[in-house]
């Protein structure tokens, strides 16, 4: 059957400044937390490849924007690097950054592509990190200033703004796991960082509407319903808590303007409540997002904590543990489960629990290692697995829309192979191949397929 999507559906991709731009001598960019961490500990990064070059978008944006057209984009999301625009986080604006972003945004608009600009994709100016980062309220104030500067400078080119991408990730990875800087384990700090990030997001929503009351602004969350191992009471309870921590900690204040009561009660009971004021809670209450971005890669499978293990309320495994479900379908390169039904289930959750707020699927994709082995005789990568991955997820999205979900776009991760945090260039996600040595770009088979998908506003597949 032909899966026909609604009119004006957003087809395109998402990426981020830190993962694509790279740095060149004299560009005026300051160090971000990633630049700093790489200098301190390059061995943590796959093949010791750091964020310095990324996919050289800063130098090759003209070619890359042409590839957006070649792959059928009518929409594109990237992010401004705070450390490029304001190198020390709260001081002078870098005029070279202003010129660069204006030129890039103008070029994208000239191609008739909808532009969605995110303000923060895991990248804090190191000068602010050094002063305590998101544990310090001064960072919230600096972020609000940065956001306002972006709105004032770039609003005419931007169709929709985003405050943060996946704000729970730096909380989990930086303060509970150890794969983002500052790589510490401290639940009390994690909660404070999460709270200040939410406050910053709400302040950016307010600033955006002050600059242009009609402009839409979103937050992007990595959502999935939490699936319990079993129907046993303990597993169900664990899944409920996992959803509160992992999703609703940002979803509820961003969409409903309030934290879930049960989450607050758990934090209180465990002496984990952050410093806050009533005035701040009022700002959160009054500045909810206009729409939601949802990133979906893998489900969250949960089981009750193992009672035999000594756990401490300052670690999340005190409340729930990840469930390694036997027989699950995997992307072995990334180590993530592939579960298409998750899209449908989260669409229904948004519909039922979040008043069917307007949303866009802002990331979904498949990272694969060593794709060179899939070349055909012409040298093109035949990434049929990526096409199948996208189709499988789009079918579930289609069904959700048929059943009333208010989703109006699909943005793939991502249009060109890009640098990824600690994994650097291990897994490739692009519709376009990037040769790291020559910087040559080349369409993959999926790039051609994606153009057809966007041009036809749908695709043919077996039911
Ligand atoms: C998302 C992030 O969580 O997943 C991206 O927003 C990231 O920045 C993407 O690159 C894919 O994950 P990874 O770790 O394989 O790059």
């Amino acid at each position: 059957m032909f899966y026909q999507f609604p009119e004006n559906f957003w087809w395109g991709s998402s990426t981020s400044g830190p993962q694509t731009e790279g740095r060149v001598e004299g560009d005026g960019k300051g160090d971000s937390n990633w630049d700093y961490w790489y200098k301190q500990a390059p061995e943590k990064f796959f093949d010791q490849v750091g964020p310095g070059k990324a996919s050289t978008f800063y130098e090759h944006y003209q070619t890359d924007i042409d590839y957006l057209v070649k792959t059928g984009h009518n929409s594109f999301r990237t992010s401004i690097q705070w450390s490029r625009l304001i190198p020390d986080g709260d001081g002078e604006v870098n005029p070279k950054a202003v010129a660069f972003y204006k030129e890039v945004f103008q070029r994208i608009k000239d191609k008739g592509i909808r532009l969605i600009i995110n303000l923060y994709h895991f990248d804090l100016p190191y000068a602010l990190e050094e002063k305590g980062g998101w544990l310090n309220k001064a960072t919230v104030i600096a972020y609000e200033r940065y956001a306002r500067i972006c709105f004032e400078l770039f609003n005419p080119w931007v169709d929709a703004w985003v405050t943060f991408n996946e704000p729970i990730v730096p909380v989990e990875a930086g303060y509970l796991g150890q794969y983002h800087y500052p790589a510490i384990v401290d639940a009390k700090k994690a909660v404070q960082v999460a709270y200040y990030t939410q406050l910053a997001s709400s302040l950016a929503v307010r600033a955006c509407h002050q600059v242009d009351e009609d402009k839409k602004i979103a937050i992007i969350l990595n959502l999935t319903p939490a699936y319990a191992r079993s129907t046993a009471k303990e597993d169900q309870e664990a899944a409920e808590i996992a959803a509160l921590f992992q999703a609703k900690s940002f979803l509820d204040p961003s969409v409903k303007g309030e934290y879930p009561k049960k989450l607050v009660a758990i934090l209180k009971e465990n002496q984990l409540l952050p410093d806050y004021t009533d005035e701040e809670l009022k700002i959160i209450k009054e500045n909810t997002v206009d729409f939601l971005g949802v990133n979906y890669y893998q489900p969250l499978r949960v089981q009750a904590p193992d009672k035999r293990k000594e756990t401490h309320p300052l670690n999340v495994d005190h409340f729930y543990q990840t469930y390694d479900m036997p027989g699950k379908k995997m992307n072995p390169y990334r180590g993530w489960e592939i579960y298409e039904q998750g899209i449908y289930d989260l669409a229904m959750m948004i519909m039922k629990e979040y008043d069917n707020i307007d949303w866009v699927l802002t990331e979904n994709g498949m990272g694969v290692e060593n794709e060179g082995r899939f070349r055909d005789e012409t040298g093109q990568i035949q990434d049929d697995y990526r096409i199948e991955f996208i189709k499988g997820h789009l079918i579930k999205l289609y069904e959700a829309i048929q059943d009333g979900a208010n989703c109006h776009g699909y943005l793939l991760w991502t249009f060109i192979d890009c640098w990824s945090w600690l994994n650097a260039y291990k897994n490739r996600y692009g519709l376009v191949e990037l040769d790291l040595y020559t910087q040559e770009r080349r369409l993959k088979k999926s790039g051609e397929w994606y153009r057809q998908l966007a041009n036809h506003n749908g695709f043919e597949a077996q039911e």
Side-chain angles (χ1 to χ4, degrees), residues 19 121-122 165-166 297 334 336 363 413 420-421 429:
Q19 293 177 267
H121 201 118
F122 310 161
N165 174 73
E166 300 187 353
Y297 291 89
R334 187 58 182 84
W336 284 347
E363 279 184 41
W413 189 268
S420 161
W421 321 116
Y429 284 85

Side-chain angles (χ1 to χ4, degrees), residues 92-382:
E92 295 284 303
V93 171
N94 169 14
K96 287 185 181 154
V98 177
F100 167 68
Y101 287 121
K102 280 191 177 169
E103 160 73 18
V104 167
F105 296 170
Q106 182 64 53
R107 216 177 169 85
I108 292 171
K109 295 310 301 167
D110 287 346
K111 303 285 182 192
I113 295 172
R114 183 181 289 107
L115 184 61
I116 300 108
I117 292 297
N118 171 28
L119 297 174
Y120 193 91
H121 201 118
F122 310 161
D123 57 323
L124 184 66
Y126 182 68
L128 297 179
E129 184 80 66
E130 225 178 356
K131 295 180 203 152
W134 287 105
L135 285 166
N136 185 348
K137 177 124 186 239
T139 298
V140 179
I141 296 162
Y143 172 88
E144 186 191 9
R145 172 178 179 264
Y146 154 66
R148 193 178 291 279
I149 289 172
C150 289
F151 302 144
E152 282 166 356
L153 283 171
F154 307 119
N155 197 51
W157 291 272
V158 176
D159 295 288
W161 290 98
V162 177
T163 61
F164 284 84
N165 174 73
E166 300 187 353
I168 194 70
V169 170
V171 173
E172 291 177 329
Y175 295 86
L176 294 169
Q178 286 176 299
Y179 44 101
H180 278 205
Y181 196 79
I184 57 175
V185 181
D186 187 326
K188 177 96 181 133
K189 288 185 175 160
V191 172
Q192 188 68 54
V193 166
Y195 172 71
Y196 275 159
T197 310
Q198 176 60 53
L199 176 61
S201 176
S202 305
L203 284 164
V205 170
R206 184 174 75 177
C208 175
H209 292 148
Q210 283 168 350
V211 172
D212 178 351
E213 60 182 354
D214 297 324
K215 194 54 66 86
K216 301 273 189 251
I217 184 159
I219 190 166
I220 291 178
L221 304 176
N222 45 320
L223 293 185
T224 168
Y227 298 104
R229 170 178 56 181
S230 75
T231 51
K233 197 171 142 276
E234 298 75 21
D235 285 341
Q236 293 291 323
E237 167 83 2
E240 190 192 350
I241 296 180
L244 286 170
F245 281 12
Q246 211 275 338
K248 299 186 176 188
S249 53
F250 281 99
L251 187 53
D252 280 38
S254 293
V255 175
K256 298 180 175 172
E258 279 178 3
Y259 282 96
K261 292 202 170 49
K262 183 157 181 174
L263 175 64
V264 175
I266 294 171
L267 295 178
K268 197 167 180 190
E269 193 186 318
N270 292 285
Q271 285 91 48
L272 289 172
L273 277 184
D275 291 338
Y276 69 94
T277 67
D278 289 343
E279 193 196 334
E280 291 165 358
L281 293 183
K282 191 163 173 272
I283 291 168
I284 293 173
K285 177 84 195 155
E286 288 173 355
N287 294 285
T288 52
V289 291
D290 301 311
F291 73 102
L292 198 60
V294 176
N295 294 351
Y296 178 74
Y297 291 89
Q298 53 168 342
L300 177 62
R301 299 210 184 265
V302 173
Q303 63 185 41
D306 185 344
K307 293 233 170 61
R308 290 163 306 180
K309 280 194 200 156
E310 279 271 325
T311 57
H312 189 275
L314 289 187
N315 296 329
V316 278
D317 64 1
H318 180 74
F319 301 102
Y320 66 90
Q321 285 171 15
T322 310
Y323 170 48
D324 188 7
M325 188 179 80
K328 60 190 176 187
K329 179 162 76 164
M330 291 293 292
N331 169 356
Y333 314 101
R334 187 58 182 84
W336 284 347
E337 182 182 347
I338 299 175
Y339 185 64
E340 296 88 346
Q341 177 68 24
I343 287 197
Y344 182 88
D345 293 346
L346 74 84
M348 294 303 119
M349 175 186 82
I350 294 170
M351 194 160 117
K352 289 176 192 145
E353 295 180 38
Y354 295 90
D355 206 15
N356 210 10
I357 185 174
D358 204 3
W359 63 282
V360 173
L361 192 70
T362 37
E363 279 184 41
N364 174 236
M366 190 180 187
V368 172
E369 218 170 329
N370 188 15
E371 284 195 304
R373 68 199 140 121
F374 300 116
R375 282 183 209 290
D376 67 4
E377 57 290 349
T378 70
Q380 186 187 50
I381 290 175
Q382 302 297 297

